[in-house]
């Protein structure tokens, strides 16, 4: 129900030194059905004939093919531009992906700046970005939108474009309140004959469907409730269905099991561990899957120069068949798809295409539509078997939006996380703008989970290490302001999980009001220039407020609630400090070695006649001893909340958060 375009899409063609004007064309529907419509329009723009053929599926995806053909003798076309005038209020955020081989460095995520002029181009994007193609700057995936809606521009390849390292393939400008997304398809002269010059592009409006009901409770609800465990993924929980139960091997990327009986045995073990009410997920890999014996006679065209499998039609069919076996045998309720990364390929049996210019033999293609079709077909398989689909790809940065219509949730994160100690934390690695754009929101129609990195330089830290505790706190303070939760119950999640269970994220799950939308509900007063944010989880009579401090020093903050806006009626609230992990557990204060060393020193100092005096107390410590107040008790007093009606004052430590529960009083 939202207008994304400010005006009709424009096609600008310049040939023979002049801008062509098209005559009136005829529109013909070639196909009309409940799930798909296709149409064609033809019109003359002398000396060219132009045609647009397109089809739309039931989720709103549109696939366009535009053809320019000479009416007589070949025509030199200097430029072809497709311009999308976007409503200015819609075009505030951008996600771009080049499809580069290093998918963790092939993205650009940013807020589009206000004001007129150039806003972004595929030549002027994030510094250090890796391009997917060896020549040119074509992005196979660009989404422009806001917190609610958007439009994704994508393609399976750049066939019909004229790649150039000097002219942007795509650019965004703003003038007079209208933001224009321009595709510079032909940017250097090309000869067009009667056979025609054609190019394609894909439009995907977002969201295609509502968010899944109750998704905020997934992995946050109490154990024993449905979907309280949304991460029972066979390879990750110790019972891989593709391996021998007597000798389980995970992450081998196999698609078929050793035997279906063995797979059933592994499923039963998962069920015993996580309960009958939670879905069992099968692990498969998007980029490096290993076909089984049923596909052994088909081994060509699958791997073609990019190190990733080509999603050729035969492989799509095979993979759907494999999924049907798992689903129809009652082995799984969901599928987890790892390493989703805009699958690049040079396979001519897939989306790559041959060229004869600049001594290059072929141009790269991308598996965007192949992956979409796979997710769509698997969704239908679940429904055909009377099951709710649970399709969960891991897309760090690689938001392959045409597939979103048939995904229940996605996973982001895992990269750019933390360094050893406190020198570098999540707030340094992930900006709030990035998390806001890629985090949860109605614009996606699915749930976005976060995958924290627990390995540091190849080492998994012990949860008792103090620096790890503080890194976990910083991670929560950053990620949860984008309404994201964690896919696995790592120590990072366990630090805060009991507090959220107290609030009850099960059905009915709370709504969430992010910090950029709660100005009428809550004000956060702090020192001038203080960098704090407050998000609100809301239920009809209570709310959980998370206050994050992004500064490198502690901040004194005062919160004031507008109960009429927050709860729909005037009233007074009761405040409660809901963070049971605010005070570090004893075993998080020091490592094993530090505790042992301190105990040894204390024992040695207490021995009479050892000739060695104990460490003298400084003035502050001496006052603590005399007053009977420990340093921990002083810190607890400093961090205590100070309610005053519908206001509360508190201290938020640097790079940390506070959790406050408020209940509307009778």
């Amino acid at each position: 129900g939202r207008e994304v375009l400010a005006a009709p899409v424009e096609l600008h063609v310049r040939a023979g030194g002049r801008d062509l004007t098209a005559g009136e064309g005829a529109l013909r529907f070639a196909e009309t059905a409940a799930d798909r419509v296709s149409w064609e329009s033809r019109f003359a723009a002398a000396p060219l004939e132009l045609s647009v053929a397109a089809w739309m599926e039931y989720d709103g995806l549109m696939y366009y093919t535009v053809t320019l053909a000479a009416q007589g003798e070949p025509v030199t076309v200097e430029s072809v531009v497709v311009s999308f005038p976007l409503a200015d209020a819609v075009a505030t955020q951008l996600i771009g992906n080049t499809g580069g081989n290093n998918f963790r460095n092939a993205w650009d995520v940013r807020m589009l700046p206000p004001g007129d002029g150039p806003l972004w181009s595929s030549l002027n994007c994030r510094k250090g970005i890796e391009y997917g193609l060896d020549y040119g700057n074509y992005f196979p995936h660009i989404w422009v939108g806001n917190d609610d809606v958007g439009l994704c521009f994508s393609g399976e390849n750049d066939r019909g474009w004229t790649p150039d390292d000097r002219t942007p393939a795509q650019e965004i400008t703003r003038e007079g309140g209208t933001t224009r997304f321009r595709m510079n398809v032909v940017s250097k002269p090309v000869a067009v004959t009667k056979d025609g010059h054609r190019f394609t592009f894909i439009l995907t409006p977002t969201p295609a469907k509502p968010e899944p009901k109750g998704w905020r409770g997934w992995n946050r609800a109490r154990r024993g409730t449905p979907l309280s465990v949304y991460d029972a993924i066979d390879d990750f929980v110790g019972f891989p269905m593709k391996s021998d139960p007597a000798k389980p091997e995970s992450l081998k990327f196999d698609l078929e099991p050793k035997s279906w009986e063995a797979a059933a045995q592994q499923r039963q073990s998962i069920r015993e561990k996580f309960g009958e009410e939670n879905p069992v997920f099968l692990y498969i890999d998007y980029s490096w899957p290993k076909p089984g014996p049923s596909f052994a006679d088909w081994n060509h065209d699958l791997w073609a120069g990019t190190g990733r499998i080509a999603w050729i039609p035969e492989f799509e069919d095979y993979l759907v068949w494999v999924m049907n076996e798992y689903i129809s045998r009652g082995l799984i309720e969901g599928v987890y798809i790892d390493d989703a990364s805009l699958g690049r390929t040079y396979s001519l049996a897939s989306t790559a295409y041959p060229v004869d210019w600049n001594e290059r033999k072929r141009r790269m293609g991308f598996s965007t539509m192949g992956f979409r079709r796979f997710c769509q077909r698997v969704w239908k398989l679940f429904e055909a078997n009377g099951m709710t689909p649970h399709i969960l790809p891991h897309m760090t940065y690689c938001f392959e939006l045409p597939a979103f219509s048939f995904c229940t949730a996605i996973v982001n994160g895992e990269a750019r996380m933390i360094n050893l100690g406190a020198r570098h934390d999540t707030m340094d690695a992930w900006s709030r703008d990035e998390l806001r754009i890629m985090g949860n929101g109605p614009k996606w129609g699915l749930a976005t989970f976060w995958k924290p990195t627990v390995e540091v330089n190849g080492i998994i830290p012990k949860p008792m290490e103090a620096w790890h505790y503080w890194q976990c706190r910083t991670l929560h303070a950053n990620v949860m302001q984008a309404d994201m939760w964690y896919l696995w119950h790592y120590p990072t999640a366990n630090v805060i999980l009991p507090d959220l269970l107290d609030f009850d994220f099960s059905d009915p799950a709370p709504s969430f009001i992010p910090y950029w939308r709660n100005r009428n509900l809550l004000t956060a007063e702090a020192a001038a220039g203080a960098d704090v944010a407050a998000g609100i989880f809301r239920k009809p009579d209570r709310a959980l407020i998370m206050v994050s401090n992004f500064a490198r020093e502690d901040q004194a903050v005062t919160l004031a609630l507008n109960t009429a806006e927050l709860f729909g009626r005037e009233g007074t609230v009761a405040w409660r400090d809901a963070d049971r992990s605010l005070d570090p557990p004893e075993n998080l204060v020091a490592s094993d070695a530090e505790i042992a060393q301190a105990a040894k020193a204390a024992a040695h100092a207490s021995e009479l006649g050892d000739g060695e005096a104990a460490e003298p107390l400084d003035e502050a410590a001496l006052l603590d001893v005399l007053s009977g107040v420990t340093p921990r008790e002083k810190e607890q007093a400093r961090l205590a909340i100070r309610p005053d009606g519908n206001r509360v004052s508190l201290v938020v430590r640097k790079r940390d958060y506070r959790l406050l529960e408020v209940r509307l009083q009778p």
Side-chain angles (χ1 to χ4, degrees):
R2 294 281 296 272
E3 290 288 349
V4 175
L5 296 180
V9 181
E10 302 164 1
L11 176 64
H12 301 277
V13 180
R14 185 172 181 83
R18 64 186 182 91
D19 296 327
L20 303 189
T21 302
E24 189 171 336
L27 178 69
R28 181 181 70 89
F29 282 93
E31 179 184 9
T32 56
D35 62 339
R36 178 183 163 103
V37 174
S38 66
W39 65 94
E40 187 177 72
S41 179
R42 292 180 178 274
F43 42 93
L48 295 174
E49 294 283 346
L50 305 179
S51 68
V52 177
W55 53 265
M56 175 193 283
E57 284 202 311
Y58 53 95
D59 66 329
L61 178 136
M62 292 164 276
Y63 195 107
Y64 283 88
T65 301
V66 181
T67 304
L68 295 74
Q71 293 178 332
E73 296 297 314
V75 178
T76 299
V77 174
E78 286 95 24
S79 69
V80 175
V81 177
V82 185
S83 178
F84 295 84
L86 300 169
D88 197 38
V90 169
T92 61
Q93 303 173 5
L94 174 135
I95 300 176
N97 201 297
T98 70
N101 189 55
N102 178 6
F103 66 86
R104 291 181 175 177
N105 192 41
W107 53 273
D108 190 3
V109 176
R110 64 175 67 190
M111 302 294 290
L112 293 174
D116 287 357
L119 306 181
W120 179 89
S121 84
S122 55
L123 274 180
N124 182 24
C125 52
R126 182 178 63 82
K127 184 178 180 181
I129 196 170
E130 179 188 316
Y131 284 93
L133 301 170
D134 53 359
Y135 183 62
N137 55 88
Y138 169 83
F139 272 57
H141 230 66
I142 301 173
W143 174 86
V144 182
N146 61 16
D147 292 310
D148 300 302
V149 296
L151 191 59
C152 179
F153 307 87
S154 54
E156 295 186 281
N157 53 44
D158 67 350
R159 192 169 197 165
W161 296 56
T162 55
D164 195 321
D165 281 332
R166 297 176 301 279
T167 305
Q170 297 111 332
E171 59 185 334
I172 303 174
T173 61
R174 186 182 293 123
E175 184 177 354
T178 297
T179 304
R180 291 184 178 272
F181 179 87
R182 291 165 49 96
M183 302 192 309
N184 297 314
V185 180
V186 173
S187 55
K188 56 187 179 183
V190 61
V192 174
T193 67
K194 285 185 176 182
D195 293 335
H197 181 92
R198 61 184 50 84
F199 61 92
T200 65
F201 60 91
I202 305 164
L203 300 180
T204 309
T206 66
K209 63 182 188 302
E211 297 167 287
K213 182 182 177 182
W215 65 266
R216 283 194 183 90
W218 299 357
N219 281 353
R220 280 190 277 200
R222 294 186 182 278
R223 285 292 181 100
T225 56
L227 302 176
S228 61
V229 179
Y230 202 77
D231 49 18
I233 302 162
D234 65 333
D235 274 33
F236 293 151
V237 299
F239 305 104
M241 295 188 195
K242 286 83 67 177
S243 69
D244 182 352
K247 189 180 179 182
E249 295 179 280
S250 299
L251 299 179
K252 296 296 183 184
F253 296 173
D254 297 272
L255 294 172
E256 296 182 46
K258 299 290 184 183
S259 72
W260 295 110
E261 293 75 19
Q265 182 178 337
Q266 295 290 74
R267 172 194 166 79
Q268 182 58 32
S269 297
I270 299 172
R271 274 285 185 229
E272 291 172 359
K273 182 174 182 179
F274 294 106
E276 292 291 331
E277 65 280 348
N278 293 304
V280 172
F281 285 83
L282 177 76
Y283 176 98
I284 66 173
D285 197 87
Y286 175 109
S287 297
W288 304 288
K290 184 179 177 182
S294 301
F295 205 59
D297 59 343
W298 189 279
N299 57 13
H300 57 285
D301 294 325
L302 288 179
W303 306 94
T306 63
R308 287 174 169 79
I309 201 164
W311 284 63
I312 62 175
E314 292 82 2
F315 176 70
E316 285 180 42
D317 289 344
Y318 163 72
L319 194 51
V320 171
W321 171 82
V322 170
M323 293 304 304
N324 185 55
E325 291 295 309
Y326 283 100
I327 294 170
S328 62
R329 293 171 185 267
L331 296 173
I332 61 172
E333 288 78 32
V335 56
Y336 173 85
I337 309 162
D338 206 359
D339 298 312
S341 59
L342 301 184
R344 308 148 40 88
T345 182
Y346 281 113
S347 173
L348 299 179
S350 182
T351 51
Y353 66 96
V355 294
D356 56 5
W357 45 267
N358 286 355
E359 299 180 358
R360 291 175 172 83
K361 302 298 183 184
R362 60 180 70 179
R363 291 284 281 173
M364 186 180 296
F366 302 91
S367 299
T368 296
M369 293 301 291
F371 183 56
R372 168 191 163 87
R373 286 189 297 268
F374 167 73
C375 293
Q376 182 183 44
R377 295 167 71 182
V378 172
W379 185 288
K380 291 179 179 181
L381 287 177
F382 279 120
E383 290 195 331
N385 283 272
M387 303 164 66
T388 300
H390 293 289
I391 299 175
L392 175 60
H394 184 359
M395 296 183 175
T396 296
Y397 319 112
C398 302
F399 279 26
E400 204 152 358
L401 284 153
F404 272 27
S405 303
F406 310 104
C407 297
T408 321
I410 60 170
V411 187
N412 198 1
E414 188 175 21
R416 299 165 57 212
M417 287 300 293
I418 56 179
N419 287 340
L420 191 62
R423 295 185 299 274
H424 183 76
D425 60 36
T426 309
M427 292 180 181
D428 296 316
W430 292 85
S431 74
R432 268 185 283 170
D433 283 350
E434 290 173 343
L435 295 178
R436 172 178 174 176
I437 295 167
M438 294 189 292
N440 276 304
K443 61 190 172 189
W444 300 137
L446 43 70
T448 302
F449 286 103
W450 190 259
K451 184 179 185 298
T453 296
V454 294
E455 291 189 13
V456 181
N457 301 327
I459 301 172
I460 298 178
K462 295 180 180 179
M464 68 176 57
E465 295 186 60
W467 72 266
H468 188 235
Y469 167 81
W470 291 111
Q471 289 281 9
C472 293
R473 298 279 305 184
T474 303
L475 171 65
H476 293 309
N478 204 27
V479 170
M480 281 188 61
Q481 293 294 353
D483 197 16
M484 286 187 284
W485 189 239
Y486 307 96
L487 187 63
W488 290 278
H489 291 97
Y490 286 141
T492 51
N494 291 337
V495 170
I496 189 177
L497 187 60
D499 309 311
L500 295 176
L501 292 182
D502 284 347
F503 188 68
D504 188 9
F505 273 73
S506 58
D507 193 33
S511 60
F512 181 73
I513 303 100
Y515 61 87
W516 58 87
R517 277 189 166 164
N518 65 17
R519 292 178 182 174
N520 294 331
L521 311 179
L522 174 149
T523 58
E525 303 168 5
D531 193 5
V532 297
I536 305 172
F537 294 95
R538 179 172 61 183
K539 285 198 168 192
D541 63 340
R542 58 188 174 131
L544 189 69
I545 302 173
M546 184 176 195
V547 189
S548 298
N549 177 16
F550 294 84
R552 294 190 181 276
E553 58 275 336
D554 294 0
Q555 295 287 347
V557 180
T558 298
L559 304 178
L561 292 182
N562 181 340
T563 57
E565 291 289 335
L566 186 60
F567 297 118
R569 62 187 176 91
E570 297 283 357
T572 304
V573 299
W575 297 87
R576 182 177 75 88
D577 188 344
D579 190 350
R580 285 185 287 171
S581 60
L582 181 66
D583 189 19
E586 289 287 353
N587 67 341
L588 291 181
V589 175
S591 68
D592 285 338
E594 290 170 332
I595 292 173
Q597 184 177 1
K600 182 179 179 181
H604 180 66
S606 67
E607 294 176 0
L608 294 176
D610 61 3
E612 187 173 336
E615 189 73 22
L617 296 174
D618 60 22
E619 185 176 353
L622 184 59
L623 288 173
D624 289 341
V625 171
L626 294 174
S627 63
V629 178
T630 67
R632 171 167 288 198
E633 289 169 336
K634 287 180 63 178
E635 178 67 359
Q636 289 173 334
R638 186 178 78 94
L639 297 178
I641 65 172
R642 294 167 176 81
D644 181 15
N646 289 344
R647 297 168 62 88
V648 66
S649 299
L650 70 160
V651 171
V652 188
R653 296 174 301 202
K654 61 182 181 181
R655 317 290 266 191
D656 200 1
Y657 67 88
R658 299 293 299 271
L659 278 177
L660 302 176
E661 185 183 47
V662 294
R663 288 180 180 264
L664 192 61
Q665 296 291 85

